[in-house]
Amino acid sequence: PHSRMEQVLRIYRKGNMVTLEQSKISAEAAVMGTAPSGTTIACVCGGYGFPRGTATTQRILLVGQALVEAGCRFTVWHCGPRPVAENTELRGEYRGIEFGYLGQALHRPRSRWRRLQIYLRAMLELPTRIRGLKGRGCVYLYPQGMLGLYAGLLCKLMGVPVVQELGEWWEGIKTASWITRLAYRGPLFWFSSGALAISDEIARRVLERTWKRKSYGLYKLPAVADPESWSGGAPRTGARTGPVTFLWCGVLSSYLADIRSLVESLAQACQMGVDARLVLSGPCDSRAHECVARTCAELRLDPARVVLPGYVSQAELARLFRSADALVLPMHDDDRSWTRSPNKLPEYLASG
């Protein structure tokens, strides 16, 4: 049995694509942009925000723009409310990509029950939309939890191919929900026709779970950034004035352990006599504010040294990148860090 696995690995090492059999509209066609002109590819995603958002939104944008340039029609079905207030349209078009918010709601209510109602309305809209893709398109599926399993099952029942995005490997992460961990043990790959893997390690694990399937497509798409989006400015020159500035960006509430670690490092630097500050750019809810305030109080660190600008435009974020002394990216000695390739890393590099 392992001979087939070795064969697949050899094919994979020659390039990025693994596919042993092609269908009319296969995972390879969807991912590589070789689908017939006019093919519709619908991205089903959760509450990331579109067309403005953080690194996840940027990855969807880059994949969508590449497929639009290849002659495909790319549309985003956003299931759930926006996390970023700058998104003000329920539906529209952005850089050639059509998008719409399923559930007919943009505002993210504080009530968990009301948020659940929005997600349920979005899930009720999905069957009709997916049915319309049969024979003429496929689904690019971003979530891996309940929404991902539900959308994947619908596609399987209706005969619509699915390409699963795998930007992280949640199976071994304790903070992931039980249903997300369950998905990685089989259902995630039973429902999909292929996958986009962000790292070599994730690609290897996908192969371990799918090598018996003759028609499973795998394409390794690492973390990427559009250089043109980060150009237009020059790095800071001349002597530095003011405190040393460290910058991190992302959705703060999703990385509370990282935020605490960064604030602790800032406190250590200040105790050593370094005049430093930390800028944490990105959507920031009450949990993130409380985490920063509590950590500063415990370490007797001046809270003014931690700057929380919230979500900013890409142009403003590029300016913050270029004005900082160091762009930081905490990684841990755990399975999540060993398998992922953070989307913010190429953005850091592209900023100059």
Side-chain angles (χ1 to χ4, degrees), residues 87-122:
N87 293 314
T88 58
E89 297 177 303
L90 275 173
R91 59 188 61 83
E93 183 175 317
Y94 184 77
R95 297 183 183 178
I97 298 172
E98 301 170 31
F99 69 90
Y101 281 73
L102 277 61
Q104 300 301 308
L106 276 173
H107 177 67
R108 181 182 174 86
R110 292 186 178 182
S111 168
R112 186 174 182 180
W113 170 242
R114 292 187 64 188
R115 289 200 301 270
L116 179 60
Q117 288 179 311
I118 295 173
Y119 279 105
L120 288 175
R121 288 202 302 268

Side-chain angles (χ1 to χ4, degrees), residues 247-279:
L247 185 141
W248 177 93
C249 67
V251 181
L252 274 70
S253 59
S254 299
Y255 296 93
L256 293 180
D258 289 356
I259 299 307
R260 181 177 178 85
S261 176
L262 289 170
V263 175
E264 290 174 347
S265 299
L266 174 67
Q268 291 181 16
C270 292
Q271 289 171 6
M272 296 170 62
V274 179
D275 182 15
R277 68 170 187 157
L278 174 65
V279 178

Side-chain angles (χ1 to χ4, degrees), residues 167-287:
E168 304 223 26
W169 194 267
W170 293 99
E171 184 181 12
I173 301 173
K174 294 180 180 179
T175 56
S177 67
W178 67 269
I179 197 165
T180 299
R181 294 196 298 270
L182 174 66
Y184 278 81
R185 295 170 190 164
L188 203 67
F189 309 105
W190 300 339
F191 299 152
S192 58
S193 310
L196 279 178
I198 203 168
S199 69
D200 287 328
E201 179 59 23
I202 288 180
R204 186 188 66 79
R205 296 185 186 191
V206 174
L207 287 173
E208 288 179 347
R209 285 159 173 76
T210 61
W211 65 271
K212 291 183 179 180
R213 293 178 57 180
K214 294 182 179 179
S215 58
Y216 198 86
L218 175 61
Y219 184 74
K220 190 188 76 174
L221 180 65
V224 291
D226 180 4
E228 293 182 3
S229 299
W230 299 98
S231 61
R236 186 181 61 194
T237 58
R240 173 174 51 81
T241 58
V244 177
T245 301
F246 300 95
L247 185 141
W248 177 93
C249 67
V251 181
L252 274 70
S253 59
S254 299
Y255 296 93
L256 293 180
D258 289 356
I259 299 307
R260 181 177 178 85
S261 176
L262 289 170
V263 175
E264 290 174 347
S265 299
L266 174 67
Q268 291 181 16
C270 292
Q271 289 171 6
M272 296 170 62
V274 179
D275 182 15
R277 68 170 187 157
L278 174 65
V279 178
L280 301 173
S281 176
C284 185
D285 61 10
S286 58
R287 291 179 300 164

